[in-house]
Amino acid sequence: GCPVAVSVHEGNTSDSRTFMPAVHKLREDFGVERMVMVGDRGMVSQKAIDEMREMDGIGWITALKSASIRALVEQGHLQMDLFDERNLLEISSPDYPGERLVACRNGALAKLRAHKREDLLAATERNLDKVKARVDAGKLTGQDAIGVRVGKIINQYKVAKHFELNIADTAVSWARKPDSIASEAALDGIYIVRTSVPAARMDAPECVRSYKSLANVECAF
């Protein structure tokens, strides 16, 4: 649990750009020939994975972003009804050659995300109500001017995709998109760990535990 080395980067450096230097540091400064790098979705980029593929003795454990998870569902590689029997299952996809994908469902996380989404939708509607009040009072007119103001609001909490907007020169209205919200809600609590480590070396539950061990890294910091 104690860090053995610390690297300091400029404050505007993205996480993904700090990852491969750490890989090389482990190999060159510490002489580690075989290792498994564990990093979150923002840390381990596809570019880094492609580079690690070319290096002997290096494996990785990370997770898929939500867009990639949705693509697996749409392609039929991840069947949501399989979670009725278990909260962890291993799948494969030609999009991730030589890798294993471990899909997990966290009920508590699902409730948290559903609650957060509703809060963001409600907050957005409250702010839209303020704009509507100005439009109704004649204090804000013009389709373009209203659209700019409305655009800032619905993008503030990243929920624009969940709203249908109607904007005119002297009026504005909106409605939630139930299909869009339901589609996103279907993936609440679902996350997928991706790894290059063979099953003979690490089974699916251990892969998930290793990914969750990133929480210990945060504690160390």
Side-chain angles (χ1 to χ4, degrees), residues 139-151:
K139 297 180 180 180
L140 178 62
T141 59
Q143 189 177 44
D144 291 343
I146 297 173
V148 168
R149 185 63 188 139
V150 168

Side-chain angles (χ1 to χ4, degrees), residues 46-57:
Q46 185 59 49
K47 181 179 178 181
I49 288 177
D50 292 339
E51 188 173 342
M52 286 189 290
R53 287 187 194 277
E54 304 300 320
M55 303 169 68
D56 292 333

Side-chain angles (χ1 to χ4, degrees), residues 57-73:
I58 298 184
W60 60 86
I61 298 175
T62 184
L64 298 183
K65 295 183 178 181
S66 57
S68 299
I69 296 176
R70 187 173 303 281
L72 288 174
V73 174

Side-chain angles (χ1 to χ4, degrees), residues 135-174:
V135 173
D136 291 345
K139 297 180 180 180
L140 178 62
T141 59
Q143 189 177 44
D144 291 343
I146 297 173
V148 168
R149 185 63 188 139
V150 168
K152 290 180 179 179
I153 290 174
I154 63 171
N155 287 314
Q156 181 179 2
Y157 299 124
K158 313 298 183 185
V159 293
K161 60 185 176 182
H162 295 322
F163 284 99
E164 184 74 39
L165 301 170
N166 290 294
I167 302 173
D169 286 332
T170 58
V172 59
S173 62
W174 60 88

